Amino acid sequence: MRYDLDDLRLFTHVAAEGSITAGARVMHLSLPSASARVRALEAQAGVPLLVRERRGVRLTPAGATLARHAREVLAETTRLDSAVASYAVSRSEPIRLVAGGSAMHQLVPTALATFLRDHPEYDVNVSERRTIRSVRLLAAGEADLGVILDDEPTPLLTEPLADDSLVVIGQAGGTLSGRASIAYAEVAEHPLVGLDRNSPLSQWMDDRLGPHAPAPRYRTLVPTLHALITLATAGAGLAVVPRRAVHSTVDVDICPLQDAWSTRQHLLCYGADAPDSVHLLANHLHAAASVPI
């Protein structure tokens, strides 16, 4: 027997709703059309699939079996469509996304995971750039969407995305235990672990600390926030990191900085003529930013 996928989809809705009327509404069909489709299914099966009652319908044993297999067939069809679509040539140029190191740690990967899954027709090229460089690329039309910090002026459109304030972290029960806040000058008195000096976060901090800031002792410099948080958690030293980078499951003391420069925000930045694909990716970035850390 050959089954029409729309008929199977209708039947699963009827089964779920307990009513042909409700199933027709979900499928945007008229009641006579939906009833005719269900009767055609029963004729094809050769057995009653539904028991019609005054307040709706209930499944016969054969109907329950058909509904279960129909759900499996429809789910497999969805997977098939997705698998084939993944080989399709993109109908447009890749979206060019630029973002700083802290956004690259969790925010951008989370958004990309859902965007690329939900939109196989679009590709994305991602580059890690400091905010000042990202703004220049966006203004020159060499990037389509940016996750930037709120301290760089730009004539482009911006919208708030997420808090990206910096905090100090250290081994649980250690130096930071019981502290409500701490100044960077005091942090610098303790052994630290930090990011590579060429990283966007390190350069951003150097710009704000200036030449007269206390010279900290870095026990080691590492290339990623993940490595930095792992070392600080293990007690290798204190570390200055974005609060959003520290997952709530990590057993580490977290202490806000008292310095005004530590408070900062992530913004989305794009041109006024950005295509729909850019706005779709922006929506996924907003959704990723709303996930509790």
Side-chain angles (χ1 to χ4, degrees):
M1 292 185 293
R2 294 187 176 182
Y3 291 98
D4 182 273
L5 291 178
D6 283 338
D7 287 348
L8 294 179
R9 193 169 288 110
L10 169 64
F11 192 77
T12 61
H13 288 306
V14 170
E17 300 289 340
S19 164
I20 296 178
T21 301
R25 187 182 306 116
V26 174
M27 291 288 292
H28 304 289
L29 296 172
S30 67
L31 179 57
S33 176
S35 296
R37 283 176 174 267
V38 172
R39 286 196 300 270
L41 264 180
E42 290 182 307
Q44 187 171 0
V47 293
L49 301 174
L50 299 173
V51 176
R52 277 79 170 170
E53 298 177 331
R54 189 174 60 178
R55 295 188 177 181
V57 296
R58 55 185 173 88
L59 298 175
T60 65
T65 299
L66 177 63
R68 174 168 57 83
H69 285 284
R71 284 189 288 268
E72 293 173 358
V73 167
L74 293 170
E76 191 61 35
T77 300
T78 300
R79 287 191 288 269
L80 173 62
D81 289 342
S82 179
V84 173
S86 68
Y87 291 97
V89 176
S90 176
R91 295 193 295 270
S92 60
E93 291 296 316
I95 303 168
R96 298 164 298 178
L97 173 65
V98 288
S102 64
M104 289 292 193
H105 179 61
Q106 289 183 352
L107 182 60
V108 168
T110 300
L112 282 179
T114 58
F115 177 81
L116 295 174
R117 179 198 65 204
D118 294 348
H119 299 284
E121 70 274 24
Y122 297 124
D123 299 329
V124 184
N125 290 343
V126 185
S127 300
E128 182 175 331
R129 296 286 187 269
R130 294 186 67 191
T131 286
I132 187 170
R133 178 62 176 157
S134 293
V135 168
R136 289 173 183 169
L137 290 171
L138 289 159
E142 297 176 22
D144 303 305
L145 181 63
V147 180
I148 66 172
L149 293 172
D150 60 354
D151 57 356
E152 190 67 31
T154 173
L156 300 171
L157 296 176
T158 61
E159 55 190 57
L161 180 61
D163 180 74
D164 195 50
S165 296
L166 303 180
V167 296
V168 183
I169 63 172
Q171 186 177 35
T175 303
L176 302 176
S177 182
R179 296 290 299 266
S181 64
I182 190 171
Y184 180 79
E186 182 180 349
V187 173
E189 297 174 0
H190 299 274
L192 300 178
V193 289
L195 288 174
D196 186 289
R197 304 313 303 168
N198 292 323
S199 71
L201 178 58
S202 293
Q203 293 179 355
W204 186 91
M205 287 183 57
D206 287 344
D207 290 344
R208 280 141 190 83
L209 288 170
H212 304 298
R217 173 200 166 200
Y218 283 104
R219 300 193 64 199
T220 187
L221 299 176
V222 293
T224 67
L225 278 169
H226 176 75
L228 183 60
I229 293 168
T230 299
L231 289 172
T233 302
L238 301 182
V240 177
V241 300
R243 174 65 186 87
R244 284 191 59 86
V246 187
H247 197 274
S248 59
T249 60
V250 177
D251 186 19
V252 66
D253 283 340
I254 302 174
C255 189
L257 282 163
Q258 296 171 359
D259 307 78
W261 51 259
S262 68
T263 301
R264 57 188 205 168
Q265 292 282 326
H266 269 149
L267 306 176
L268 278 182
C269 182
Y270 49 88
D273 56 350
D276 290 343
S277 58
V278 170
H279 291 284
L280 288 172
L281 179 53
N283 290 339
H284 282 259
L285 284 161
H286 278 296
S290 68
V291 175
I293 55 176

